[in-house]
């Protein structure tokens, strides 16, 4: 299991999140949207705070640029 994900995977599983959202809401939402284990694990690794947008999440999550969606 990895602590990284891809931008495309995050966009897919967090597409309909209502922001602001906290870390727990993001993890729960991703899990309910059938996120892969790596994406859920990467979300668990972000700081526990309120996020205002997907861009806000992307600023702190570990994204693997070399990985395919």
């Amino acid at each position: 299991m990895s602590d990284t994900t891809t931008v495309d995977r995050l966009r897919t599983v967090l597409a309909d999140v209502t922001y602001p959202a906290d870390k727990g809401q993001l993890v729960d939402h991703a899990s309910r949207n059938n996120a892969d284990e790596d994406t859920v694990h990467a979300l668990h690794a972000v700081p526990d705070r309120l996020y205002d947008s997907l861009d806000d999440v992307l600023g702190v999550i570990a994204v693997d640029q070399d990985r395919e969606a």
Side-chain angles (χ1 to χ4, degrees):
M1 185 164 28
S2 170
D3 282 345
T4 64
T5 188
T6 66
V7 173
D8 287 340
R9 287 180 181 182
L10 279 175
R11 280 193 181 119
T12 299
V13 299
L14 299 180
D16 55 348
V17 168
T18 301
Y19 292 96
D22 65 25
K23 174 182 173 175
Q25 290 170 306
L26 296 173
V27 170
D28 289 343
H29 197 84
S31 295
R32 284 194 311 271
N33 283 319
N34 300 314
D36 62 286
E37 287 183 50
D38 288 345
T39 299
V40 173
H41 199 256
L43 284 166
H44 274 291
V46 301
D48 192 9
R49 66 175 181 87
L50 212 56
Y51 294 90
D52 294 322
S53 66
L54 177 60
D55 286 336
D56 199 10
V57 177
L58 290 172
V60 297
I61 199 163
V63 174
D64 187 345
Q65 300 292 345
D66 296 328
R67 216 164 132 198
E68 293 184 23

